[in-house]
C-alpha cells in the first residue's frame, strides 16, 4: 500500500500563474478530500468527493479554485489565477467509507510570490 | 463558535511526563472520535479511533470520550521526544458526512 500520493511536494509560483496540484488516492477508497492548512486557520476542508462525484465544495474559497476527479485513482486541485494568500500546505486524503479514518498524503507546500 | 474546540497549546513537557490533550465539541450527533498526529512537514496520521463514549488504550496512548460532557481527551504516558508533534482531534457524525477537525495542539517533549 503506497498510501495517498501527492505531487508536487513543493510549488513556488508567481502571482497570477495557474497552479495544479495532483492526488492519487489509496486504491479501493471511495471518498477523497482536499484540505488546506495554514498557521492562522488550521486544517480547512475545501471539497470532497464520493465515488468521483463532488459532494460538498462549500469550503472552496473562491471561483479561482476548482477541483476534478475524472476517475477513482486521480484528482486535481487547480488555482487560477494564484494569489499570495493562497500560500499554504494542501493535503489530499482518502477513505474507504464515510465513518472511517482519513489517510492523508504528505501535502503540497505552495508558495505564491 | 466552532463545532470543535481544541486546547491551543503549545505544550512543552519533560521526557517521562504524562500529557493530556483535550477537545470539546458542540454537535451531539458526533459518533466517531479520532486523534491524528502530525510531524513537521508530514500529513496527519491516525493515532486513535473510537466510537461513542468510553476509553481505548493502545500502548502509551489512551483516548477517552465523554459524550455527556461533549469532551474528549488523549493521554500520553511516559512521553518521549519522538512524541513531539502536533495532535489534532477529529469527529464524525452521520449527519455531517465529513470529519470535523480541531485546530491542533503542538507538543514538545524535552529530553
Amino acid at each position: 500500500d503506497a498510501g495517498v500520493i501527492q505531487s508536487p511536494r513543493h510549488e513556488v509560483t508567481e502571482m497570477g500563474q495557474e497552479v495544479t496540484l495532483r492526488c492519487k488516492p489509496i486504491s479501493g477508497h471511495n471518498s477523497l478530500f482536499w484540505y488546506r492548512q495554514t498557521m492562522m486557520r488550521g486544517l480547512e476542508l475545501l471539497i470532497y468527493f464520493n465515488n468521483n462525484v463532488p459532494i460538498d465544495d462549500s469550503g472552496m474559497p473562491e471561483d479561482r479554485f476548482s477541483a476534478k476527479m475524472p476517475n477513482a485513482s486521480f484528482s486535481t486541485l487547480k488555482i487560477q489565477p494564484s494569489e499570495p494568500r493562497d500560500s499554504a500546505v494542501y493535503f489530499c486524503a482518502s477513505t474507504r467509507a464515510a465513518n472511517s479514518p482519513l489517510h492523508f498524503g504528505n501535502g503540497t507546500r505552495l508558495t505564491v510570490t | 463558535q466552532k463545532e470543535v474546540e481544541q486546547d491551543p497549546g503549545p505544550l512543552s513537557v519533560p521526557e517521562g511526563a504524562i500529557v493530556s490533550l483535550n477537545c470539546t465539541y458542540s454537535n451531539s450527533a458526533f459518533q466517531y472520535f479520532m486523534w491524528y498526529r502530525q510531524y513537521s512537514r508530514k500529513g496527519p496520521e491516525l493515532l486513535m479511533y473510537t466510537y461513542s463514549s468510553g476509553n481505548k488504550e493502545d500502548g502509551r496512548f489512551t483516548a477517552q470520550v465523554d459524550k455527556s460532557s461533549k469532551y474528549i481527551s488523549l493521554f500520553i504516558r511516559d512521553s518521549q521526544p519522538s512524541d513531539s508533534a502536533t495532535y489534532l482531534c477529529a469527529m464524525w457524525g452521520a449527519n455531517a458526512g465529513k470529519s470535523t477537525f480541531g485546530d491542533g495542539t503542538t507538543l514538545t517533549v524535552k529530553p
Side-chain angles (χ1 to χ4, degrees):
Chain A
D1 183 354
V4 175
I5 299 172
Q6 291 187 247
S7 64
R9 287 299 310 274
H10 303 274
E11 178 78 42
V12 180
T13 191
E14 292 183 347
M15 182 174 62
Q17 296 298 306
E18 177 179 299
V19 174
T20 299
L21 311 181
R22 297 172 175 79
C23 175
K24 177 179 169 56
I26 293 173
S27 178
H29 282 193
N30 299 322
S31 298
L32 182 141
F33 300 75
W34 282 101
Y35 285 89
R36 178 171 67 178
Q37 188 176 43
T38 61
M39 289 291 291
M40 291 296 293
R41 294 189 298 270
L43 199 62
E44 300 175 279
L45 177 64
L46 300 177
I47 184 171
Y48 78 95
F49 297 82
N50 280 347
N51 297 314
N52 312 338
V53 176
I55 302 300
D56 184 353
D57 65 354
S58 60
M60 297 285 260
E62 299 169 32
D63 290 346
R64 299 184 296 107
F65 286 69
S66 62
K68 293 182 180 179
M69 192 164 185
N71 57 62
S73 59
F74 184 66
S75 178
T76 59
L77 178 68
K78 185 177 293 186
I79 309 172
Q80 166 63 19
S82 58
E83 297 183 3
R85 58 190 167 129
D86 301 330
S87 297
V89 181
Y90 290 80
F91 288 104
C92 175
S94 69
T95 184
R96 58 177 173 80
N99 62 349
S100 296
L102 299 176
H103 296 257
F104 285 83
N106 280 326
T108 294
R109 184 173 295 272
L110 173 65
T111 303
V112 184
T113 60
Chain B
Q1 185 183 358
K2 293 183 178 180
E3 271 192 304
V4 177
E5 297 278 0
Q6 184 167 0
D7 288 353
L11 204 54
S12 180
V13 301
E15 184 175 352
I18 297 174
V19 176
S20 173
L21 304 168
N22 308 294
C23 289
T24 58
Y25 62 95
S26 56
N27 188 344
S28 58
F30 285 141
Q31 302 164 286
Y32 294 85
F33 304 89
M34 292 146 280
W35 286 95
Y36 289 82
R37 178 176 61 195
Q38 184 177 19
Y39 290 117
S40 179
R41 298 187 179 274
K42 296 286 188 180
E45 58 178 346
L46 182 70
L47 194 59
M48 298 287 277
Y49 176 60
T50 56
Y51 173 71
S52 199
S53 285
N55 291 358
K56 182 176 182 179
E57 187 174 319
D58 184 0
R60 297 183 295 109
F61 298 89
T62 299
Q64 192 173 80
V65 175
D66 181 350
K67 290 193 72 179
S68 62
S69 301
K70 297 189 180 66
Y71 190 88
I72 71 169
S73 298
L74 177 70
F75 297 97
I76 307 174
R77 292 185 300 279
D78 187 24
S79 56
Q80 302 295 308
S82 59
D83 296 328
S84 297
T86 296
Y87 291 80
L88 299 133
C89 64
M91 306 173 190
W92 184 92
N95 66 341
K98 58 191 177 185
S99 295
T100 302
F101 282 82
D103 286 340
T105 302
T106 297
L107 170 68
T108 301
V109 181
K110 297 184 176 180

